[in-house]
């Protein structure tokens, strides 16, 4: 609150009051810790485009991948792939292991893009 007070030029109590009002209105829905994945030992960040081989099984893919370590998110996307996975792993060899596990778990084709550097995230 003191940092917000300094930035806004408002008193700490005024900032606290405004933040509480935003929380009550649901504008502020929560707070989170921002984790440094590289310091956690997860140096490789990649995106994996996932295309079902059998589209009759497409709806089951997210549930089957949900609990696999290393997969951070699964988004349904427009375009040729059906899903885009965001993954974090320790090394290129662990990324290969994760890809092999994905292929053993679901019948899909994949295309992987490794992130070299993140310039910003919001």
């Amino acid at each position: 609150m003191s940092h917000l007070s300094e930035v806004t030029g408002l008193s700490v109590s005024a900032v606290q009051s405004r933040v509480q009002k935003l929380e009550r209105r649901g504008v502020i829905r929560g707070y989170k810790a921002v984790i440094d994945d590289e310091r956690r030992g997860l140096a490789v960040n990649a995106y994996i485009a996932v295309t079902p081989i059998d589209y009759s099984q497409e709806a089951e893919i997210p549930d089957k991948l949900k609990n696999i370590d290393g997969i951070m998110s699964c988004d349904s996307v427009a375009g040729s792939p059906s899903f885009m996975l965001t993954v974090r792993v320790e090394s290129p060899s662990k990324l290969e292991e994760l890809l092999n596990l994905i292929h053993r778990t679901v019948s899909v084709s994949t295309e992987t893009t490794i992130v070299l550097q993140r310039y910003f995230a919001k």
Side-chain angles (χ1 to χ4, degrees), residues 17-78:
S17 173
R18 290 181 184 199
V19 167
Q20 288 172 344
K21 286 177 185 175
L22 292 170
E23 290 170 340
R24 282 193 299 272
R25 288 181 33 216
V27 175
I28 297 175
R29 296 185 345 189
Y31 299 91
K32 66 179 181 177
V34 179
I35 307 297
D36 185 326
D37 286 319
E38 285 190 40
R39 289 188 182 199
R40 274 185 45 206
L42 303 174
V44 178
N45 185 20
Y47 302 107
I48 303 174
V50 175
T51 304
I53 292 174
D54 178 1
Y55 278 89
S56 69
Q57 305 295 314
E58 181 180 33
E60 300 171 13
I61 291 172
D63 282 338
K64 289 184 176 183
L65 298 178
K66 185 181 352 185
N67 295 316
I68 294 178
D69 286 341
I71 299 177
M72 309 307 288
S73 67
C74 176
D75 298 303
S76 175
V77 295

Side-chain angles (χ1 to χ4, degrees), residues 82-106:
S82 294
F83 305 101
M84 185 66 68
L85 306 178
T86 301
V87 303
R88 289 294 301 209
V89 292
E90 299 163 354
S91 64
S93 64
K94 293 292 185 184
L95 178 58
E96 183 177 25
E97 288 176 21
L98 177 58
L99 285 165
N100 289 334
L101 178 56
I102 290 168
H103 286 276
R104 286 192 309 271
T105 304
V106 289

